[in-house]
């Protein structure tokens, strides 16, 4: 009985800690808007959050679902083109355009669904080919996508009759969408669906024996993972006012999976940490301008060796190490 | 399309196909021995192309004399990448995705080094000096460089096959490909065999890059040809080495005929679509034995 109380109280404490940390983090994220208003840093943050949102969906597919999707940029693009079509041709606003983007990306996921029968590296290759093929289609279907030149004059974000222009407003919208997706995914992982995913990760055959429909589950992990990317596509188009096919090539797919793994494949916030690092490297280091991507490559290569759990595992690893050093526990 | 054109496109396609085949062998070899989809492999083609620039243009070597040094240099890089970048992850028993991402990272590193101004710079380099005039055989235009590429590709592929079939080391590499743990129990030094297969893949990728530079141009964007060669590896059955060569030739011819007679703009989309169709319908490759790639 005492052991149970101890476990419960520890559980209770860690839950309080989580709530406090989350509240502080959310406040700090919203606080960045007035704090950095009018600075370049804020427009940088807007891009980080948009890319992080696309990576967040991929984290669900790869990390929670165990489906190694190497074609996420295709869904980023499908969302962008689907949403922009309704914005430009039917003069929809942002929220209905989100709906259109989700429908288009979901159709893409349905097209990709037969590939889920392939295992491991075969699915990885097929999804990579799917992404590369979609990029070619984006580039060549000029009447729909504007091809390499892109679609211009995408209308700005407009929600409930209010137009959001400028970095501060864009940041608030983008951040809100990202946090909502984050919260929905966190809740989903606590639902029966999330528990089934956990079970499949522990033992696929065990889960199957317990009545989990693994094929359907993998499809849902893909479908749910492409939705944030589709939303990110619309946000990207509306914030920048332009979409070009080159944003959605297979290098973008590889960049997104890199963000997920660098951030920590098992961590939702890791997706944003990975996006922050990637975007920081591509924007900031002016002093080592021509060496920044070389530095990025070296960083990833080193990270995979010393910290395979990604940025998100830094705290845990450091904590474990310090405990060992202090002699308080065992690694 | 008339027969003459078809034959002409086929001949051109075979040259490109030999290159795809060489790269595809590397993909398959690395997959067979390490179980790894390597994203650094296309960049060995890129490296071979710029090394070829140094050999052919700066040092004024002939294509034939350049093949071995360019291949060896690229093989050396491949071994370094394998030992420094991948071996520590393997030793820890790291996840497959960590290994894949490490290859992505090394691909970035190689491209970024070559891109530097003190290296080769970001623009495309031409290897072509005076190309010899084409010869005509029964009205089909044969270019010497296409023939040379086809010949060197064939020789290398046969050489590799002989190495894997006939030598003791080659047999050990194949044993690791069948099952690493079993090979280790038989007293084979698995890590050494992995390094050898990395070197072989690097060598063939480097030579393919030299040939790409010779036919088209060299430079940091050459790696995209390596990415398309993944399709050749899949067509031949991923992990199947003779299949990779045939897959390369088929892809080269298919690619050329599609570009010439169906649609030049959609050729890449069609090639990537082909990967998906082959994986779904014949995961063991068009010619390979039936294997199960399903879950």
């Amino acid at each position: 009985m005492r052991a149970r109380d101890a476990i419960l109280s520890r559980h209770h404490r860690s839950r309080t800690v989580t709530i406090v940390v989350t509240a502080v983090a959310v406040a700090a994220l919203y606080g960045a808007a007035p704090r950095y208003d009018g600075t370049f840093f804020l427009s940088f943050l807007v891009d980080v959050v948009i890319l992080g949102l696309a990576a967040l969906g991929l984290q669900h597919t790869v990390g929670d679902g165990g489906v190694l999707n190497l074609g996420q940029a295709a869904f980023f693009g499908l969302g962008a083109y689907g949403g922009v079509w309704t914005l430009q041709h039917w003069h929809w606003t942002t929220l209905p355009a989100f709906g259109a983007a989700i429908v288009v990306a979901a159709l893409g996921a349905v097209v990709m669904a037969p590939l889920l029968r392939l295992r491991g590296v075969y699915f990885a290759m097929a999804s990579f080919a799917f992404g590369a093929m979609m990029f070619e289609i984006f580039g060549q279907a000029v009447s729909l996508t504007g091809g390499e030149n892109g679609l211009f004059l995408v209308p700005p974000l407009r929600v409930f009759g209010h137009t959001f222009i400028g970095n501060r407003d864009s940041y608030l919208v983008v951040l809100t969408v990202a946090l909502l997706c984050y919260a929905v995914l966190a809740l989903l992982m606590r639902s029966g669906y999330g528990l089934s995913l956990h079970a499949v990760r522990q033992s696929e055959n065990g889960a199957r024996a317990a009545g989990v429909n693994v094929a359907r589950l993998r499809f849902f992990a893909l479908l749910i993972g492409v939705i944030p990317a589709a939303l990110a596509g619309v946000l990207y188009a509306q914030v920048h006012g332009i979409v070009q096919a080159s944003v959605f090539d297979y290098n973008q797919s590889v960049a997104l999976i890199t963000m997920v793994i660098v951030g920590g494949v098992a961590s939702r916030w890791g997706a944003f940490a990975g996006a922050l690092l990637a975007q920081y490297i591509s924007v900031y280091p002016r002093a080592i301008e021509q060496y920044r991507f070389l530095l990025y490559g070296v960083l990833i290569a080193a990270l995979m060796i010393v910290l395979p759990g990604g940025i998100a595992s830094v705290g845990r690893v450091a904590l474990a190490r310090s405990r060992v050093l202090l002699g308080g526990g065992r690694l | 399309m008339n027969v003459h054109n078809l034959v002409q496109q086929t001949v051109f396609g075979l040259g490109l196909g030999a290159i795809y085949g060489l790269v595809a062998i590397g993909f398959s070899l690395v997959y067979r021995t390490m179980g790894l989809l390597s994203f650094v492999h296309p960049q060995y083609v890129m490296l071979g192309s710029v090394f070829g620039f140094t050999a052919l243009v700066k040092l004024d070597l002939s294509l034939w004399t350049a093949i071995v040094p360019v291949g060896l240099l690229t093989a050396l890089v491949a071994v370094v990448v394998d030992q420094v970048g991948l071996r520590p992850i393997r030793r820890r028993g790291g996840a497959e995705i960590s290994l894949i991402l490490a290859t992505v990272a090394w691909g970035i590193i190689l491209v970024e080094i070559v891109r530097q101004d003190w290296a080769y710079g970001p623009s495309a380099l031409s290897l072509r000096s005076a190309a010899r005039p084409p010869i005509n055989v029964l009205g089909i235009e044969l270019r010497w460089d296409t023939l040379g590429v086809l010949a060197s590709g064939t020789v290398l592929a046969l050489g590799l096959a002989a190495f894997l079939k006939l030598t003791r080391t080659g047999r050990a590499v194949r044993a690791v490909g069948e099952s690493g743990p079993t090979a280790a129990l038989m007293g084979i030094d698995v890590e050494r065999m992995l390094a050898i297969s990395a070197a072989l893949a690097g060598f063939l990728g480097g030579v393919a890059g030299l040939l790409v530079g010779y036919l088209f141009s060299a430079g940091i964007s050459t790696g995209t040809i390596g990415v398309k060669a993944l399709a050749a590896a899949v067509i031949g059955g991923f992990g199947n080495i003779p299949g990779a060569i045939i897959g390369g030739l088929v892809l080269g011819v298919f690619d050329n005929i599609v570009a010439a007679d169906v649609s030049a703009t959609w050729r890449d989309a069609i090639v990537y679509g082909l990967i998906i169709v082959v994986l779904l319908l014949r995961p063991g490759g068009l010619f390979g034995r039936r294997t199960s790639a399903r879950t």
Side-chain angles (χ1 to χ4, degrees), chain A residues 271-291:
Chain A
F272 292 94
L276 179 67
L277 178 67
Q279 193 64 12
Y280 183 86
I281 295 263
S282 69
V283 170
Y284 271 103
R286 298 269 155 71
I288 51 161
E289 179 77 28
Q290 78 261 40
Y291 294 114

Side-chain angles (χ1 to χ4, degrees), chain A residues 2-16:
Chain A
R2 198 187 286 157
R4 186 169 159 270
D5 284 348
I7 289 169
L8 277 181
S9 97
R10 193 185 302 157
H11 179 70
H12 196 71
R13 199 171 56 212
S14 78
R15 192 165 163 184
T16 318

Side-chain angles (χ1 to χ4, degrees), chain B residues 20 23-24 27 41-43 45 212 221-231:
Chain B
Y20 284 143
V23 187
F27 269 122
H41 191 64
Q43 303 312 338
V45 180
V212 170
S221 51
T222 321
T224 46
I225 289 202
V227 174
K228 259 172 100 178
L230 184 61

